[in-house]
Amino acid sequence: MPHAAIAKDNVAVITGGASGIGFAAATAFARAGMKVCIADVDEPRLADAATKLSSVTSAVDVMTFAVDVSNAESLAELERAVRERFGGTDVLMNNAGIQPGSTLFGEPDHWQRIIAVNMWGIINGSRIFAPNMIARGKCGLIINTGSKQGITTPPGDPAYNVSKAGVKAFTEALQHELRNTKDRRVTAHLLIPGFVFTGLTAKGRTEKPAGAWTPEQTVDFMLARLEAGDFYILCPDNDVPRALDEKRMLWAAGDIVENRPPLSRWHPDYADAFRKFVEGE
């Protein structure tokens, strides 16, 4: 049985919904008989996505909305528009994100945009939608798209890592708040994709690398783990076993507990120690 919020005639809102994981989720929700609002900053892509969804569900059950998730008022307009069209929201998927690459001492405007979209977009969406979702008195879901990089924080893209680490911390706080509300019918969940082949990660490639998942695989896994009640929805990769992801995360915590240098798992002086840790020696 799917999660109770994913049901015929319920309403799903997906930011970053015109492509990638967001569009795959919108398609899955539509196939479940839900009314779907796909929100995205790219209006031509929104129109194309709505046309594609019309092959899955009735056009009257599909809504599109141009939104800049970094702007709280833009998201408030989205929430109001969904209530006016469909009566309210049962599933909110805060999925919009960007990964243009960053350097530590790069342009501050670049950093601010990444954090504004990736982190503030999720904070804004959750804070604006959650009160009315709770007031509906129905089972509801808030799904925030994080990243393994927000947990293992590898070197090379610090602004993205900071934004996704913030998403993890915020979603944990959100779920704590929700489980202490009356009736506790709305829950938050952190989607932690691995390597997913989307426009965000393609970087000029036209064919999916063997190690990557498709957006559809990611959403199928997400739905299964929502049904199981997971808060942390940690997606494996085709070429990275879940056990290795777990070891990387545990080693990262060990940097603090054992007072190792930050990111020691990528430090050449600790290469052999990390290998032995991963292999259980």
Side-chain angles (χ1 to χ4, degrees):
M1 290 287 292
H3 189 282
I6 302 171
K8 190 176 187 311
D9 295 327
N10 275 3
V11 179
V13 178
I14 308 98
T15 67
S19 61
I21 294 172
F23 182 72
T27 303
F29 294 143
R31 284 182 174 144
M34 299 184 73
K35 298 176 174 66
V36 175
C37 175
I38 48 176
D40 206 290
V41 73
D42 189 324
E43 294 192 51
R45 191 175 288 172
L46 272 174
D48 183 56
T51 299
K52 290 176 181 175
L53 274 184
S54 67
S55 66
V56 175
T57 189
S58 169
V60 299
D61 290 335
V62 177
M63 173 182 174
T64 63
F65 198 92
V67 67
D68 176 0
V69 297
S70 70
N71 184 305
E73 182 52 39
S74 184
L75 277 164
E77 290 173 4
L78 168 64
E79 196 276 337
R80 286 192 294 269
V82 173
R83 274 191 289 119
E84 290 172 3
R85 172 78 176 269
F86 293 138
T89 300
D90 301 289
V91 176
L92 170 67
M93 187 169 179
N94 289 308
N95 173 73
I98 57 174
Q99 190 177 13
S102 63
T103 60
L104 193 62
F105 302 112
E107 287 295 324
D109 289 349
H110 194 56
W111 270 74
Q112 288 169 7
R113 181 61 182 163
I114 292 169
I115 291 172
V117 172
N118 292 359
M119 188 173 75
W120 272 105
I122 284 175
I123 295 171
N124 289 334
S126 300
R127 284 170 48 85
I128 288 165
F129 275 79
N132 283 326
M133 291 176 70
I134 294 167
R136 280 165 74 76
K138 298 173 58 179
C139 284
L141 290 171
I142 298 175
I143 306 160
N144 293 337
T145 301
S147 171
K148 292 178 184 178
Q149 286 184 222
I151 302 170
T152 60
T153 58
D157 197 351
Y160 184 81
N161 291 354
V162 168
S163 70
K164 291 299 185 178
V167 169
K168 172 183 176 291
F170 174 79
T171 309
E172 290 167 340
L174 175 64
Q175 172 56 7
H176 179 72
E177 183 78 14
L178 291 172
R179 72 186 176 197
N180 285 289
T181 59
K182 183 182 177 182
D183 298 329
R184 296 177 290 180
R185 305 204 70 187
V186 179
T187 58
H189 304 262
L190 181 67
L191 174 62
I192 311 169
F195 181 16
V196 184
F197 189 60
T198 68
L200 194 69
T201 62
K203 301 186 186 305
R205 292 171 291 201
T206 57
E207 293 188 12
K208 182 183 78 66
W213 273 19
T214 65
E216 291 75 19
Q217 284 177 295
T218 305
V219 170
D220 286 346
F221 184 85
M222 177 188 80
L223 294 175
R225 299 322 304 168
L226 285 170
E227 183 179 346
D230 289 4
F231 171 78
Y232 299 104
I233 303 173
L234 177 61
C235 302
D237 297 310
N238 287 338
D239 60 352
V240 179
R242 179 186 171 104
L244 179 55
D245 280 329
E246 291 171 352
K247 291 284 190 178
R248 286 172 173 166
M249 293 173 187
L250 289 170
W251 184 273
D255 286 351
I256 301 169
V257 175
E258 299 182 20
N259 199 29
R260 295 192 297 253
L263 302 176
S264 60
R265 59 202 176 281
W266 284 287
H267 194 293
D269 291 352
Y270 287 83
D272 189 55
F274 180 60
R275 178 191 61 78
K276 290 179 179 179
F277 178 78
V278 167
E279 295 175 0
E281 295 182 18

